[in-house]
Amino acid sequence: MLLLEAMGTTLAMTAIGCVLGFLIAFVIVFLRQTPGLWALPIRFLAICYVEVFRRIPFLVVIYLVLFFIRSIVSEVSLFTIAVVAICIYSTAYTADIIRGGFESVSRQQIEAARAMNFSRWQTLMNVIVPQSWPVILPPAVAFAISFIKDTALVSQVGVFELTFRGKELNNEGFSALLVFGTIAFLYFLMSYPLSRWGRWLEQRLASSPSQRSKQRLRPAYSP
Amino acid sequence: MHHLQVKDLSSAYGPLTVLKGVNFTLAKGETAALIGPSGSGKSTVLRVLMGLNKPTGGEVLIDGAALDYSRPASVRAARERMAIVFQQYNLFQNMSVLRNVTIAPVKIKGRPRKEVEAEAERLLSKVGLADKHHAYPDELSGGQQQRVAIARALALRPQILLLDEVTSALDPELVNEVLDTIRGLAADGMTMLIVSHEMAFVREVATKVVMMDEGLVVEQGPPEQIFGAPKTDRAREFVGKILRH
């Protein structure tokens, strides 16, 4: 029961951190691609964020977040700290995935939108995002799934996630092999269905919009 | 007053000057063709008019009012009055034919969706694609995609339609279906500026021919003059070469 609860914590941390990270990464990429001289500092900061946080080990990010937040506000839960750390880290990684996706959309598509007076935001939401989705989503999902395992590192600061519970049970006298064997199985149980779903998503997105449209229109049962 | 006036227009790609002072005018309802060898700057003229390339000098006037391409509001105004059809169609691959045609009038111009859809259906019928509303670009032939692109441009209700080598990416058997559509537009009195290598078509449809070479207008006049009795040596040489083939 304790392990299931810890499993829920692990999944919740990963899901909240990665989804928030993805949304923030989206904004960062948008800012990074802002044209014009006036946006130079914005572009610089966006690039710095991605380049810096991609090169720092996740454990260091966790400690940085822990001590930084605790120095400002003392009453913050470890769960929140873990989510913030995951969010910061996943933002940096997914920003590069999103940027690659946006850049995969041909220049002609963007010019067609500009010629019709689409704003930058309208071009992004109507043309770039729908076309880059198939490029962005599979690696972003793969990153989030692999991150489920990396969240084990937040046990270092005492978050009651799966690995931390394992350590506790082991300290209480349970066999280390049994405890960590069970934990390894639970990590597999969380990751495997999600990675299958990721693969299904990849295959589905690899088809063209016209094929996807036909799949949507196909009746669920045909005699 | 000229509907469109291009005065001493110049433009560059980095250090390479592509337009070196282009001058021509277009009257309402006129179909002008920009001709000339590859690299002479014909497509760049259209791109500058649409604000896709920045001019480095000169002036563009629509109905006597100058457009300042350094101001976003002025570029938007230019794009409200002109629409372009690209050589590679540039249809949005993630949208159906109907949505390709309706998205800008609905989302950008804020016109009622029902009204725009009715107009889009009329335009698609006009270009012979009444049965392709729900198809996606990758399900259409090049000629069909180009006709959708023309319908999409017309849905913007432009005062001037710019056509950039709209048949050069098409298989020969698909060229005529697009040219027929343009013939129809010319007959309807649409003001058009066409970049084309289809000289027989230019001779037939254009009311004015502007010949360019190395970023300059070499000669302009009615097709009979340009193709029959060109006044400049360069125009004579160019026309001589193309008419031999």
Side-chain angles (χ1 to χ4, degrees):
Chain A
M1 198 60 210
L2 280 174
L3 284 178
L4 284 179
E5 195 186 312
M7 200 170 133
T9 307
T10 296
L11 274 178
M13 277 186 324
T14 313
I16 300 170
C18 286
V19 168
L20 279 177
F22 188 82
L23 295 175
I24 298 168
F26 187 83
V27 176
I28 283 185
V29 175
F30 184 72
L31 294 175
R32 185 175 172 162
Q33 295 182 338
T34 307
L37 205 61
W38 66 271
L40 202 63
I42 297 174
R43 285 201 296 272
F44 178 74
L45 285 175
I47 291 168
C48 279
Y49 177 88
V50 173
E51 295 303 322
V52 167
F53 280 101
R54 280 194 64 181
R55 279 158 182 80
I56 299 177
F58 181 47
L59 191 59
V60 177
V61 175
I62 297 167
Y63 281 120
L64 276 174
V65 171
L66 175 74
F67 293 118
F68 179 74
I69 293 184
R70 284 279 163 91
S71 69
I72 302 168
V73 199
S74 54
E75 293 296 313
V76 180
S77 72
L78 287 170
F79 179 82
T80 308
I81 285 166
V83 167
V84 171
I86 293 169
C87 185
I88 287 174
Y89 203 67
S90 65
T91 297
Y93 267 86
T94 45
D96 253 10
I97 295 172
I98 293 171
R99 186 175 60 84
F102 284 3
E103 285 173 3
S104 72
V105 176
S106 78
R107 197 173 51 87
Q108 285 102 324
Q109 294 280 301
I110 295 159
E111 279 189 346
R114 280 174 61 202
M116 288 194 284
N117 258 341
F118 280 55
S119 66
R120 234 188 112 218
W121 182 252
Q122 285 168 325
T123 306
L124 184 73
M125 297 314 284
N126 292 291
V127 180
I128 299 175
V129 169
Q131 291 191 32
S132 57
W133 216 224
V135 180
I136 292 171
L137 222 49
V141 169
F143 170 79
I145 294 166
S146 74
F147 211 79
I148 291 174
K149 293 173 289 174
D150 295 342
T151 54
L153 286 169
V154 299
S155 68
Q156 294 293 321
V157 293
V159 180
F160 295 113
E161 51 73 67
L162 206 50
T163 308
F164 189 84
R165 281 288 185 221
K167 285 183 200 167
E168 271 193 337
L169 289 172
N170 185 221
N171 290 340
E172 284 167 23
F174 285 94
S175 150
L177 206 61
L178 179 69
V179 167
F180 286 106
T182 310
I183 282 170
F185 177 68
L186 290 176
Y187 273 116
F188 174 80
L189 216 59
M190 285 189 288
S191 304
Y192 188 69
L194 285 170
S195 66
R196 295 292 303 177
W197 175 70
R199 203 168 300 165
W200 173 81
L201 203 65
E202 193 171 348
Q203 279 166 358
R204 188 173 154 71
L205 290 171
S207 55
S208 66
S210 57
Q211 286 168 323
R212 286 205 294 281
S213 158
K214 281 187 189 117
Q215 282 164 7
R216 272 199 301 276
L217 296 172
R218 191 180 298 150
Y221 168 76
S222 49
Chain B
M1 189 193 297
H2 301 295
H3 195 25
L4 172 73
Q5 187 172 11
V6 174
K7 279 164 77 177
D8 288 327
L9 191 68
S10 56
S11 183
Y13 287 99
L16 183 70
T17 305
V18 185
L19 302 181
K20 300 168 183 167
V22 172
N23 290 286
F24 66 89
T25 58
L26 193 56
K28 219 175 194 119
E30 194 170 33
T31 299
L34 283 176
I35 65 165
S38 295
S40 57
K42 309 178 297 288
S43 294
T44 307
V45 170
L46 302 195
R47 292 179 61 83
V48 172
L49 288 175
M50 289 308 294
L52 296 172
N53 282 33
K54 277 203 181 341
T56 48
E59 233 181 349
V60 175
L61 298 98
I62 296 183
D63 295 330
L67 294 166
D68 178 0
Y69 283 92
S70 64
R71 287 177 52 237
S74 206
V75 174
R76 275 199 298 275
R79 290 170 182 167
E80 266 171 26
R81 305 175 86 168
M82 293 181 277
I84 187 166
V85 181
F86 296 94
Q87 182 180 1
Q88 297 289 345
Y89 346 122
N90 298 9
L91 294 179
F92 299 128
Q93 297 298 311
N94 56 309
M95 297 178 198
S96 68
V97 163
L98 188 65
R99 193 159 152 73
N100 257 289
V101 179
T102 58
I103 185 162
V106 173
K107 289 215 171 188
I108 313 299
K109 298 206 165 182
R111 287 172 52 201
R113 181 179 294 277
K114 283 256 181 300
E115 176 195 310
V116 172
E117 280 182 357
E119 187 177 343
E121 284 174 17
R122 190 178 55 74
L123 287 169
L124 287 168
S125 300
K126 189 174 176 176
V127 297
L129 293 169
D131 56 338
K132 298 287 183 189
H133 295 182
H134 302 295
Y136 279 78
D138 65 347
E139 296 173 306
L140 303 177
S141 71
Q144 287 173 327
Q145 288 192 58
Q146 195 57 287
R147 284 184 283 151
V148 174
I150 292 171
R152 180 172 75 170
L154 292 174
L156 294 163
R157 296 180 171 172
Q159 292 172 4
I160 303 164
L161 185 63
L162 313 178
L163 301 149
D164 187 9
E165 297 189 36
V166 290
T167 55
S168 54
L170 301 178
D171 290 338
E173 70 265 29
L174 301 175
V175 168
N176 271 332
E177 61 185 56
V178 174
L179 295 185
D180 284 343
T181 303
I182 302 170
R183 276 187 196 100
L185 294 174
D188 289 349
M190 182 83 206
T191 309
M192 288 189 284
L193 182 57
I194 303 173
V195 169
S196 182
H197 289 295
E198 302 281 341
M199 290 307 150
F201 175 71
V202 166
R203 266 177 114 157
E204 173 201 333
V205 170
T207 49
K208 178 182 208 169
V209 178
V210 179
M211 199 213 137
M212 287 183 65
D213 189 31
E214 294 182 355
L216 286 165
V217 172
V218 177
E219 189 171 337
Q220 54 185 307
E224 307 82 58
Q225 175 198 318
I226 302 292
F227 293 109
K231 289 177 181 159
T232 59
D233 290 344
R234 183 67 188 99
R236 213 170 292 128
E237 185 194 348
F238 179 73
V239 170
K241 271 185 193 162
I242 53 168
L243 292 186
R244 266 210 305 276
H245 293 291

